[in-house]
Amino acid sequence: MSTEIALFEESFISPQVQAALPEGYTVRPLRANDYERGFLKVLEVLTEVGNQTKEQWLERFNYLKQHNHEYFTIAICNDRENRVVAAGTIFVERKFVHNNGLVGHIEDIAVDANQQGKKLGLRIIEALKYIGAKKGCYKVILDCSAKNIPFYEKCGFTQKEYEMAWYVPTTTKAHL
């Protein structure tokens, strides 16, 4: 597999978002060689990522590529440094409601700590909303912490409902 292989077609990338980025930055689909470009390091601003090997990374990348009608992970790269500085994902859920409608779920919005203040998070959200609209989603949703609500409101989202989570205990996983 060529390391420049993209997760999905470039036609899903918003030209308006690309034009709004600072000079020297590019928004694009995740690529197989973004492992070396620091994609996982960017995600560490969110949560624990773990120590993935290149083999594990490629296994997950290839799975997502085989399902690239559902999974759209994007990266913003600093072209001068050839590294990923921001990332986000939208995945498309197929519903029975809304006449077999589609819902976009935004996940894992991350901006490198040294790159914050350049509106890269806003650009990631705009790019993911564009993908959701282009895929025909009737809505795009996300979960966030209370402190991030004002940011997402600026991105055009409105607060609705509450998030609930259940984390599977490690002991349960071992016995299944």
Side-chain angles (χ1 to χ4, degrees), residues 11 16-17 22 35 37 48-49 52 71 73 80 88 100 103 113 119 121 137 142 153 161 171:
S11 64
Q16 293 82 11
V17 171
Y35 178 87
R37 289 187 178 124
E48 180 219 344
V49 174
Q52 290 186 36
Y71 293 98
T73 299
R80 291 180 195 102
N100 290 337
V103 174
K119 298 191 175 186
C137 295
L142 57 81
E153 287 176 336
E161 311 294 334
T171 56

Side-chain angles (χ1 to χ4, degrees), residues 4-174:
E4 286 297 324
I5 291 191
L7 190 59
F8 57 90
E9 295 177 24
E10 292 273 347
S11 64
F12 284 99
I13 298 298
S14 166
Q16 293 82 11
V17 171
Q18 181 58 58
L21 287 174
E23 185 177 338
Y25 288 76
T26 305
V27 61
R28 59 169 176 70
L30 188 69
R31 293 181 182 162
N33 62 349
D34 284 339
Y35 178 87
E36 290 88 4
R37 289 187 178 124
F39 173 78
L40 295 176
K41 187 77 174 154
V42 171
L43 291 182
E44 288 177 359
V45 303
L46 297 175
T47 189
E48 180 219 344
V49 174
N51 295 318
Q52 290 186 36
T53 65
K54 175 71 181 226
E55 182 179 321
Q56 290 169 317
W57 157 270
L58 287 173
E59 182 179 323
R60 179 54 44 100
F61 180 89
N62 289 331
Y63 176 87
L64 297 176
K65 178 130 180 81
Q66 290 169 3
H67 298 89
N68 68 5
H69 59 288
E70 296 174 331
Y71 293 98
F72 298 84
T73 299
I74 61 173
I76 293 179
C77 295
N78 177 323
D79 298 331
R80 291 180 195 102
E81 298 176 10
N82 193 30
R83 70 182 183 92
V84 174
V85 296
T89 297
I90 184 169
F91 69 90
V92 178
E93 175 189 11
R94 283 151 174 73
K95 308 283 281 185
F96 285 106
V97 298
H98 288 271
N99 198 30
N100 290 337
L102 303 175
V103 174
H105 295 263
I106 290 180
E107 291 284 338
D108 300 337
I109 304 304
V111 178
D112 182 283
N114 296 324
Q115 299 288 318
Q116 294 182 4
K118 298 179 182 178
K119 298 191 175 186
L120 301 181
L122 172 64
R123 302 303 175 224
I124 288 284
I125 294 295
E126 290 171 340
L128 296 173
K129 286 169 51 180
Y130 178 87
I131 293 168
K134 192 161 179 149
K135 285 297 293 180
C137 295
Y138 72 89
K139 71 178 176 179
V140 173
I141 60 177
L142 57 81
D143 294 321
C144 70
S145 62
K147 71 180 174 79
N148 289 331
I149 290 173
F151 168 75
Y152 289 111
E153 287 176 336
K154 288 179 188 174
C155 295
F157 288 84
T158 56
Q159 188 175 356
K160 184 175 173 23
E161 311 294 334
Y162 295 94
E163 172 191 5
M164 303 295 291
W166 178 69
Y167 293 92
V168 179
T170 307
T171 56
T172 302
K173 291 178 190 175

